[in-house]
């Protein structure tokens, strides 16, 4: 979905750890020291500066899209990793660590690791006394050659953490090439958390109401880089006593359909019983639908499909999503076919997302058009469950679009209900720190 909309919770300003005295990790500032290691309770965070190499900076200024690193341990199933490490027991032990945000290359490679007993108590009973020896660690390092087999400091580094008043927590991750990507932990009622994941650095879809769309697309993320967001989020939830992550939404930065192969692989690992162990019904992939075929492609993933529609009328949709090349009828036909090709169970659930903007698409006329647009999906797909998510616009620092009134949103919702369309209003979370739906965009200066 152009990185943007189902996010809704997000961000900043309050780091609750007590960092080492020499670290430059601040609650409201950025890291400035290069490769500074500071032990944070149970694991090393590799804190790097935001400085991008001259080569990378030139590449960005010239508009050249960079490439993501190749597949590594995070993107491997237990069986695939077992072949590399020389045994399934080793692979299971490595994944026991990854799944709770512990880097096995660091944990088993550092004999002085602090709180090792506490970490082992989190592992399955049968593997608490096991270890990865030098041979396995050497083989693991071959997968991430850039930093001794480590996810932390290898695939990505935790560059900044910020927290909103509602505990929505945004993580800024620095990738190996110096680019940065955001992911957001959204706690709900102290019971569970949703993680909003990014699939690209920037986005090329150019939705006019979305901060990420203004960045353009710098590059797609590898499946390892996508999954590293879950790795770091699990770590932060554990250290900061945030509720467990039970839901994933691909609604952060980027358009998943423009990086379908890596998104599908990431979903496979997220829903694997031996990896991150999420239910497929709890993973949602949202797309703006660049063309009708993307629904069938993304339906290969173990996930629920969501479509960022924003307007049912072609002229208005083109205004909001200027990269649109197909009519709404053509795109809807693609979604219907993709749903029909799926088993008649929860996977036929589909979400229709609408970012409501005052005096743009929040009138009862647009509600009627949306109801008429949705009805054929329900009628033509047996066993389907259609949910319309209404998302009040979040300010991105421009004058064109405004947040709708609560009365307009409620009237829009009621109008859909009266026509037999279930509609849910997405609660805005993290907007006080520019972390709500549509507000994600890394703020890297072009002359860095």
């Amino acid at each position: 979905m152009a990185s943007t909309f189902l996010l809704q919770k997000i961000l900043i300003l309050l780091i609750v750890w007590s960092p080492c005295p020499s670290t430059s990790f601040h609650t409201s500032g950025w890291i400035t020291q290069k490769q500074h290691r500071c032990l944070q309770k149970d694991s090393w965070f590799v804190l790097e500066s935001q400085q991008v190499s001259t080569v990378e900076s030139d590449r960005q200024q010239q508009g050249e899209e960079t490439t993501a690193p190749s597949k590594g341990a995070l993107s491997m199933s237990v069986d695939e990793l077992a072949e590399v490490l020389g045994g399934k027991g080793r692979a299971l032990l490595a994944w026991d660590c990854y799944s709770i945000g512990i880097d096995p290359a660091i944990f088993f490679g550092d004999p002085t690791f602090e709180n090792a007993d506490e970490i082992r108590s989190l592992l399955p009973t049968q593997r608490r006394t096991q270890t990865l020896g030098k041979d396995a660690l050497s083989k693991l390092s071959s997968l991430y050659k850039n930093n001794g087999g480590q996810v932390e400091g290898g695939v990505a580094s935790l560059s900044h953490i910020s927290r909103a008043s509602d505990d929505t927590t945004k993580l800024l991750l620095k990738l190996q090439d110096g680019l940065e990507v955001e992911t957001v932990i959204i706690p709900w009622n102290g019971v569970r958390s949703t993680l909003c994941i990014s699939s690209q650095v920037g986005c090329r879809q150019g939705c006019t109401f979305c901060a990420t769309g203004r960045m353009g697309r710098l590059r797609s993320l590898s499946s390892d880089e996508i999954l590293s967001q879950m790795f770091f989020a699990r770590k932060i939830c554990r250290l900061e006593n945030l509720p467990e992550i039970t839901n994933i939404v691909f609604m952060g930065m980027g358009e998943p359909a423009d990086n379908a192969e890596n998104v599908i692989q990431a979903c496979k690992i997220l829903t694997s019983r031996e990896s991150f162990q999420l239910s497929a019904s709890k993973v949602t992939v949202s797309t703006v639908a660049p063309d009708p075929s993307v629904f069938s492609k993304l339906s290969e993933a173990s996930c629920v499909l969501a479509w960022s529609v924003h307007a049912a009328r072609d002229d208005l949709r083109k205004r909001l999503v200027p990269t649109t090349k197909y009519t709404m009828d053509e795109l809807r036909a693609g979604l219907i076919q993709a749903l029909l090709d799926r088993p008649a169970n929860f996977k036929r659930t589909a979400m229709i997302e609408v970012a409501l903007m005052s005096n743009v698409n929040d009138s009862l006329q647009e509600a009627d058009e949306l109801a008429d647009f949705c009805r054929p999906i329900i009628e033509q797909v047996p066993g389907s469950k259609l949910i319309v998510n209404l998302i009040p616009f979040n300010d991105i620092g421009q004058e064109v679009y405004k947040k709708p009134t609560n009365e307009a949103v409620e009237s829009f919702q009621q109008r859909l209900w009266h026509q037999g369309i279930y509609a849910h209003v997405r609660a805005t979370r993290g907007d006080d720190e520019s972390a709500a739906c549509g507000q994600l965009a890394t703020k890297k200066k072009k002359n860095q």
Side-chain angles (χ1 to χ4, degrees):
M1 131 177 175
S3 131
T4 291
F5 262 91
L6 258 199
L7 219 174
Q8 286 245 282
K9 232 191 134 166
I10 305 199
L11 213 45
I12 117 186
L13 270 221
L14 165 57
I15 294 191
V16 291
W17 299 309
S18 298
C20 299
S22 61
T23 181
S24 56
F25 201 111
H26 301 296
T27 58
S28 59
W30 300 101
I31 308 307
T32 56
Q33 293 179 328
K34 179 127 178 166
Q35 296 293 340
H36 183 86
R37 290 177 178 264
C38 175
L39 189 63
Q40 300 285 352
K41 294 187 178 179
D42 68 76
S43 180
W44 292 93
F45 285 103
V46 181
L47 306 181
E48 299 180 334
S49 71
Q50 289 185 299
Q51 199 166 17
V52 183
S53 69
T54 302
V55 173
E56 184 58 35
S57 181
D58 290 345
R59 200 184 287 157
Q60 292 178 41
Q61 290 179 20
Q62 294 167 11
E64 179 182 343
E65 182 176 338
T66 58
T67 56
S70 57
K71 181 178 177 180
L74 276 180
S75 294
M76 292 183 175
S77 67
V78 166
D79 289 339
E80 290 173 324
L81 191 55
E83 290 186 16
V84 175
L85 300 184
K88 189 167 184 178
R90 294 176 174 182
L92 287 169
L93 182 58
W95 260 113
D96 289 338
C97 293
Y98 289 136
S99 66
I100 59 173
I102 291 293
D103 194 331
I106 299 175
F107 182 62
F108 294 110
D110 182 3
T112 64
F113 196 95
E114 191 171 301
N115 295 337
D117 290 341
E118 179 183 341
I119 296 302
R120 286 188 179 279
S121 70
L122 302 175
L123 303 178
T125 304
Q126 67 272 28
R127 284 190 287 277
R128 289 178 184 173
T129 59
Q130 290 180 232
T131 187
L132 291 181
K134 290 184 178 180
D135 179 60
L137 290 172
S138 175
K139 292 174 178 176
L140 190 63
S141 69
S142 69
L143 298 174
Y144 298 126
K145 295 180 181 179
N146 53 309
N147 200 27
Q150 297 177 18
V151 172
E152 294 189 51
V155 177
S157 300
L158 185 57
S159 179
H160 185 69
I161 303 175
S162 53
R163 182 173 295 178
S165 57
D166 58 9
D167 281 344
T168 294
T169 303
K170 183 166 74 173
L171 312 181
L172 181 69
L173 302 182
K174 173 173 280 190
L175 307 175
Q176 184 184 350
D177 58 8
L179 294 176
E180 293 172 330
V181 69
E182 295 176 326
T183 189
V184 182
I185 304 169
I186 308 168
W188 295 100
N189 301 320
V191 176
R192 62 176 179 84
S193 293
T194 294
L195 181 66
C196 183
I197 282 183
S198 296
S199 58
Q200 296 179 305
V201 184
C203 181
R204 72 175 182 178
Q205 296 305 321
C207 297
T208 56
F209 50 86
C210 175
T212 310
R214 293 181 169 189
M215 294 177 62
R217 181 179 64 180
L218 299 182
R219 73 165 169 85
S220 292
L221 300 182
S222 69
S223 51
D224 282 70
E225 290 169 331
I226 293 172
L227 291 165
S228 72
Q229 297 170 65
M230 179 63 159
F231 169 87
F232 280 104
R234 281 272 176 94
K235 173 184 290 293
I236 298 307
C237 285
R238 176 168 50 79
L239 294 179
E240 297 307 314
N241 296 315
L242 292 173
E244 179 185 2
I245 294 170
T246 59
N247 296 62
I248 297 286
V249 291
F250 279 80
M251 299 173 184
M253 300 169 67
E255 166 53 57
D258 288 338
N259 190 20
E261 182 179 349
N262 288 314
V263 168
I264 291 169
Q265 178 61 27
C267 287
K268 204 173 291 185
I269 299 301
L270 287 168
T271 57
S272 167
R273 286 188 176 184
E274 295 176 320
S275 302
F276 285 116
Q277 305 172 0
L278 294 177
S279 166
S281 64
K282 303 298 184 181
V283 177
T284 300
V285 176
S286 179
T287 177
V288 77
D291 68 75
S293 68
V294 301
F295 295 113
S296 291
K297 182 62 177 176
L298 290 175
S299 68
E300 297 175 20
S302 300
C303 69
V304 172
L305 292 176
W307 180 14
S308 294
V309 169
H310 307 308
R313 198 171 70 246
D314 285 323
D315 63 327
L316 180 54
R317 219 276 175 147
K318 181 71 174 178
R319 171 185 164 189
L320 299 175
V321 188
T323 53
T324 297
K325 297 179 180 179
Y326 295 85
T327 68
M328 293 302 287
D329 286 348
E330 290 171 326
L331 293 173
R332 180 180 59 195
L335 174 61
I336 289 173
Q337 188 57 55
L339 293 175
L340 288 172
D341 290 341
R342 290 188 138 191
N345 53 22
F346 73 87
K347 290 184 179 179
R348 285 192 173 178
T349 297
M351 294 186 183
I352 299 295
E353 299 158 358
V354 180
L356 290 177
M357 289 154 274
S358 180
N359 297 319
V360 175
N361 65 345
D362 66 339
S363 74
L364 296 183
Q365 176 187 338
E366 277 84 34
D368 291 339
E369 291 169 351
L370 184 62
D372 291 340
F373 180 78
C374 290
R375 201 165 290 111
I377 302 174
I378 299 171
E379 294 172 349
Q380 295 180 35
V381 183
S384 65
K385 179 181 178 183
L386 188 71
I387 302 170
V388 174
N389 276 320
L390 302 177
I391 307 168
F393 173 73
N394 293 300
D395 179 48
I396 59 171
Q398 49 73 60
E399 298 299 324
V400 179
Y401 301 116
K402 300 294 182 183
K403 192 181 187 77
T405 64
N406 291 336
E407 292 76 15
V409 174
E410 184 177 353
S411 295
F412 197 103
Q413 180 188 36
Q414 292 290 336
R415 190 74 159 213
L416 292 176
W417 280 357
H418 290 159
Q419 299 189 58
I421 307 296
Y422 176 75
H424 171 74
V425 177
R426 176 74 54 170
T428 299
R429 304 288 298 274
D431 60 328
D432 55 330
E433 295 295 348
S434 297
C437 188
Q439 294 181 320
L440 292 192
T442 55
K443 297 176 177 62
K444 179 175 290 299
K445 296 180 181 178
K446 290 187 177 180
N447 61 353
Q448 262 189 314

